[in-house]
Amino acid sequence: MKKLVKYNLIPVLFLAISCVILLVKSRYSFCWSDETLYSTISGRFYNGDSLFYHDWFPTQLSSILTLPLYSLYVNITGETDGIILYFRILYVFFEFISSIVVFSIIKRHHGVILGLTAGLLTEWYTHLNIATLSYYNITLLTFLLAMLILYDCYMKESEFSKISSGYITYKKNKVSLFFAGFLFAISVLCLPTLSVVYVLAVFAGILTVLLARLFSKTDWLKKFNRKLDFIYVFKYTFAGILVPTFIFLIYLISHVKISDFISSIPYVLSDDEHITSKLYPLKKMYLSIDEIYGRISKFSYLFICCSFIVFIVILAYKYTKNNNFKTTLGKIILPIKCVILFIDIVLFALYFCKSIGCPGYIYTAVLLFSLPIFFITENKNYTLFILTIVSGLFLSLTYSYSSTGMLYVLSMGHFIGTIGCVILIYDFCKELLNNTPFIYRAVKVVFTVILLITVIQTSLLRITVVYRDDRLNNLTEKITCGPARGLYTSEDHLAMYNDVYDVISTYCMRESAKGNNNLLISNLLPFGYLISDMKIAAPTAWRNQMSNERLKQYYEIHPDRYPDVILLLNEEYGSYEAFADVEGDKTPNANVTEGYVFDYIYANNFKAIPVPCGTVYMRP
């Protein structure tokens, strides 16, 4: 058994079994909204529409990454039937590979158990259980892998420097640094606002180099600059960043005029759902936690500040030369640590109770629990803290500016931090083993239970909770046609899906539309465009209210995209049950039966055809 663990066979077997379970789970549920949007945008680009110029949805860049995968499927099968399941399967394998990398890196430096814990969390967690290659999930995994590869490089060189000259050169890690940069560029392509984090990191690195040269006699600054070795790290990570950037620019230049791309940017950024003030997203990082945890969160912030004060006391104990003062501090530090630990454990129990049933919230709880632990740890792993917790909080901030979602979105950054917390809380355990063995055993048990709770809750929620469909036990009906072929949904939703499929196959195809080419679906049915062979007559495949002024702007710029066929859905189509803290919606396709598009319909004498799922308007 020890040999199996030593050679990673048992841990990898756990990850492989998890992969099989997730492959089975991938067939259950069908989301009518978010999930199908990602495939639809890739399909739009596959059919010749241009980036930004024809599509004004702000998160469309991730669909460029999935476009080759979309093209491969359609070219092989000749259709889009089953493409939703195809992307789900690809995502499960992406998660599996990512979990193997996470496990390998952490196991190398911190042991099998912590490596397996981090690997399982990586494999089981996905944003809101939307288990596909979305811009959220691609960003999350590529960003995490980039940060951990950088950490791996640092740890390798730190270990190497102990038996060499003491200089950290990163010379053995050129390829790893290159891949870290490559993966980070992928995450930025999915979430462009993340580029701000890179600019800040580069600025901090340059500042460190300049300070080290200006204050060359300051030993700690020289050592820090030598450990950072910013110029070398920047050079090879930047080389990795350039590759996907260059490929993207080639695609951009070959598929859209640069003038059209630039002129479309204001329309992309003016998306109604993503307009916000400059300061509110910053406040939202705290408001989202307050919304879920209430007064507990306010006490937690105060408690973290108190822990930071203890950190200052520990520093004073380390560096003071006054023996009497040092003795006094030495007597009070351990009791203070014990009090902080006890309060922190109680707070985590409260956090956990609030996080039950909501994917991602447990990571906020672990992060809030771990910060005080980190501050009272004497030998801190600052590198891991910066590359996971600090970078994770920056990722949350970036999401706050890029999404209208609250904690269920921001907790993705907290997940990045949790991967580091897995290690940081056990660093505190090691110190207890050396200093107070009698407390060590109890604390280790508590920490182990907390991590087990985190893994178990993550896996149970991934299996049992369904996003925007129905309860898992109601998903008994198999979809046999169209983009969702092979998935299981509820009886009512299958009937709705079949209605939509039949109507689009009958009325919304070029052949049946007398050769007309443009289709508008209102309000929300992204996968409808995957069924039809007509072009999308809208600035986005997302929500298109008939009264939306953006439609008027779009048609003024693209007069060739005025709709020839319009499908106006009944309001109850696409309805879904409540999910975690996301409320259910019985009328997701509620619409306004007036406005610019209706004026256009009446002016051009469109024929209205009542159908089971709504009304089809066809150009005569």
Side-chain angles (χ1 to χ4, degrees), residues 91 125-131 134 136-137 140 359 408-409 411-412:
Y91 175 65
Y125 172 65
T126 188
H127 169 61
L128 284 177
N129 280 5
I130 308 174
S134 69
Y136 284 120
N137 293 331
L140 187 70
Y408 62 86
V409 172
S411 59
M412 286 190 289

Side-chain angles (χ1 to χ4, degrees), residues 34-59:
D34 303 50
E35 181 179 5
T36 61
L37 174 67
Y38 313 127
S39 303
T40 300
I41 298 177
S42 290
R44 183 170 199 170
F45 295 146
Y46 177 81
N47 291 321
D49 279 5
S50 298
L51 186 73
F52 277 35
Y53 183 60
H54 287 117
D55 195 297
W56 292 355
F57 199 69
T59 61

Side-chain angles (χ1 to χ4, degrees), residues 102-103 106 113-123 415 419 422:
V102 170
F103 161 73
I106 294 179
I113 300 301
L114 296 184
L116 180 58
T117 302
L120 288 171
L121 291 175
T122 302
E123 189 167 18
F415 165 77
I419 298 301
V422 168

Side-chain angles (χ1 to χ4, degrees), residues 312-321 326 329 333 377-380 382 431:
I312 303 299
V313 172
I314 292 172
L315 285 180
Y317 173 77
K318 275 187 174 182
Y319 295 107
T320 184
K321 296 180 180 179
K326 190 164 190 172
L329 289 179
I333 285 176
T377 302
E378 293 185 22
N379 297 312
K380 296 175 175 59
Y382 288 106
E431 288 187 1

Side-chain angles (χ1 to χ4, degrees), residues 42-341:
S42 290
R44 183 170 199 170
F45 295 146
Y46 177 81
N47 291 321
D49 279 5
S50 298
L51 186 73
F52 277 35
Y53 183 60
H54 287 117
D55 195 297
W56 292 355
F57 199 69
T59 61
Q60 61 184 276
L61 291 179
S62 63
S63 295
I64 299 298
L65 296 172
T66 56
L67 177 57
L69 300 171
Y70 181 98
S71 303
L72 179 66
Y73 184 87
V74 173
N75 288 335
I76 291 175
T77 64
E79 58 186 15
T80 59
D81 286 18
I83 198 164
I84 304 301
L85 179 58
Y86 163 73
F87 274 113
R88 287 187 183 184
I89 291 171
L90 289 178
Y91 175 65
V92 169
F93 281 114
F94 182 32
E95 281 185 309
F96 175 62
I97 293 168
S98 299
S99 69
I100 294 291
V101 175
V102 170
F103 161 73
S104 300
I105 291 174
I106 294 179
K107 180 256 180 185
R108 183 180 297 127
H109 306 293
H110 301 284
V112 173
I113 300 301
L114 296 184
L116 180 58
T117 302
L120 288 171
L121 291 175
T122 302
E123 189 167 18
W124 282 102
Y125 172 65
T126 188
H127 169 61
L128 284 177
N129 280 5
I130 308 174
T132 192
L133 292 172
S134 69
Y135 70 96
Y136 284 120
N137 293 331
I138 298 174
T139 299
L140 187 70
L141 291 177
T142 53
F143 185 81
L144 172 63
L145 293 177
M147 295 302 104
L148 288 183
I149 289 172
L150 286 175
Y151 178 69
D152 187 42
C153 292
Y154 174 82
M155 291 299 291
K156 283 179 182 177
E157 293 297 340
S158 294
E159 292 159 5
F160 174 74
S161 67
K162 291 177 183 178
I163 57 173
S164 63
S165 62
Y167 286 87
I168 296 175
T169 62
Y170 293 92
K171 289 181 179 177
K172 291 186 176 181
N173 297 300
K174 294 177 182 178
V175 175
S176 295
L177 291 171
F178 175 87
F179 275 111
F182 183 92
L183 289 167
F184 183 78
I186 297 297
S187 66
V188 170
L189 188 60
C190 293
L191 190 64
T193 46
L194 195 56
S195 58
V196 175
V197 177
Y198 181 73
V199 172
L200 291 175
V202 170
F203 175 77
I206 293 173
L207 184 62
T208 302
V209 173
L210 291 176
L211 288 174
R213 291 182 179 178
L214 288 173
F215 303 96
S216 57
K217 294 182 180 181
T218 307
D219 289 339
W220 70 268
L221 190 57
K222 286 170 63 179
K223 289 178 181 178
F224 178 74
N225 184 51
R226 194 165 62 192
K227 284 184 177 181
L228 183 64
D229 202 358
F230 173 75
I231 301 299
Y232 194 89
V233 173
F234 172 78
K235 182 168 59 176
Y236 286 98
T237 52
F238 187 69
I241 289 171
L242 285 178
V243 173
T245 303
F246 181 70
I247 295 172
F248 170 72
L249 289 176
I250 291 177
Y251 174 85
L252 180 66
I253 292 170
S254 60
H255 285 79
V256 61
K257 292 180 180 178
I258 298 301
S259 58
D260 290 338
F261 178 82
I262 294 173
S263 65
S264 300
I265 291 176
Y267 298 106
V268 174
L269 296 179
S270 65
D271 174 66
D272 296 339
E273 291 190 22
H274 294 83
I275 295 175
T276 184
S277 68
K278 293 180 180 180
L279 291 179
Y280 176 71
L282 186 61
K283 296 177 183 177
K284 190 168 68 175
M285 290 186 66
Y286 305 98
L287 294 176
S288 62
I289 297 176
D290 291 342
E291 180 186 42
I292 303 302
Y293 297 111
R295 293 180 180 178
I296 304 172
S297 63
K298 293 179 175 63
F299 181 81
S300 182
Y301 300 147
L302 179 62
F303 181 62
I304 290 170
C305 292
C306 292
S307 302
F308 184 77
I309 294 172
V310 175
F311 164 62
I312 303 299
V313 172
I314 292 172
L315 285 180
Y317 173 77
K318 275 187 174 182
Y319 295 107
T320 184
K321 296 180 180 179
N322 187 318
N323 290 331
N324 293 331
F325 184 56
K326 190 164 190 172
T327 302
T328 303
L329 289 179
K331 290 178 180 180
I332 66 171
I333 285 176
L334 181 59
I336 290 174
K337 285 185 177 182
C338 291
V339 171
I340 287 175
L341 190 58

